[in-house]
Amino acid sequence: MRHRKAALRDVRLRRGRNLFLIGLSMYAAYGMMYSGVVSRWIDGANEYAMLGSFVAGMFFTSLFTLAPAIVALAELSQSTPWHLVVVPGALGSVVGDLLLFLFLRDVVITSVSEIISGPWHRRWKVLIRRPFLQWIIPATGLLLYTLPFVPDEVGLSLMGLSNLRITLLIPLTFAVNIVSISMIWFSVHAFFA
């Protein structure tokens, strides 16, 4: 009973910390957008637009850094051609997703193995080895990864739980990020051009 109360307290503390960080990230994005910091930075570094897009793409992966990354990519989109924003941004996002995937895979697997240790361990192994579930878990992870209102961490952790190969993860995340960053680029040109 004591262990359960401590676990619930830890979950509440992490939830509060995460909500604070998300709020701080949105506040930073709002400040960046209206203070003109990003536009001054981009005006001074037009020849480094690909590098800026790559770095913004790396921050496009996490829920905590998503808002500032969208602001940076939108600012870059105003004065830079599509291929110089979207492709480097997607490559940067793949690097960020890969780092997140490698970290989450280890954390999720150890957490899940701790949760299901005991009488459920054997049942879990039998269940997860069924051919139907061998593709449904990574497919669900990819579906959650593509949804804009679900953090990438959820989809990446499911893909990590299913032991998805990195050689398959890279093209999948690249394709999804090309579409996502293209939507930002086209939105900027449709509404602010």
Side-chain angles (χ1 to χ4, degrees):
M1 188 67 162
R2 180 184 292 177
H3 174 69
R4 183 177 169 90
K5 286 183 180 179
L8 286 174
R9 187 179 62 237
D10 288 345
V11 167
R12 286 187 195 119
L13 287 174
R14 276 186 266 141
R15 185 180 304 148
R17 183 192 68 207
N18 290 344
L19 287 174
F20 173 74
L21 289 174
I22 291 168
L24 186 66
S25 170
M26 295 178 96
Y27 180 73
Y30 179 80
M32 287 169 47
M33 189 169 64
Y34 286 106
S35 69
V37 170
V38 176
S39 61
R40 285 193 301 267
W41 173 70
I42 289 171
D43 288 341
N46 265 342
E47 62 270 6
Y48 302 113
M50 289 176 60
L51 179 64
S53 179
F54 183 83
V55 171
M58 285 182 70
F59 289 108
F60 192 66
T61 59
S62 176
L63 178 65
F64 300 116
T65 57
L66 181 65
I70 289 174
V71 169
L73 288 168
E75 286 288 335
L76 278 166
S77 296
Q78 289 181 357
S79 62
T80 310
W82 178 86
H83 66 282
L84 294 178
V85 173
V86 175
V87 175
L91 286 172
S93 188
V94 167
V95 169
D97 284 336
L98 193 58
L99 293 171
L100 200 57
F101 175 76
L102 292 173
F103 172 73
L104 284 176
R105 181 174 62 182
D106 295 337
V107 170
V108 167
I109 288 174
T110 56
S111 297
V112 167
S113 64
E114 287 175 7
I115 290 170
I116 63 169
S117 63
W120 286 95
H121 185 67
R122 190 179 64 184
R123 290 181 188 164
W124 174 258
K125 277 188 167 181
V126 169
L127 185 67
I128 201 77
R129 290 182 191 210
R130 295 192 183 257
F132 178 74
L133 288 177
Q134 286 184 346
W135 70 268
I136 199 77
I137 291 174
T140 304
L142 183 65
L143 176 69
L144 290 173
Y145 178 80
T146 59
L147 294 174
F149 52 85
V150 177
D152 289 353
E153 291 90 343
V154 175
L156 286 173
S157 61
L158 272 178
M159 290 189 267
L161 182 64
S162 66
N163 293 325
L164 185 72
R165 294 183 313 231
I166 293 176
T167 56
L168 190 58
L169 176 78
I170 291 172
L172 288 174
T173 57
F174 183 73
V176 169
N177 287 316
I178 283 276
V179 172
S180 298
I181 297 173
S182 292
M183 288 171 55
I184 294 170
W185 194 90
F186 286 119
S187 297
V188 166
H189 285 274
F191 295 113
F192 301 109

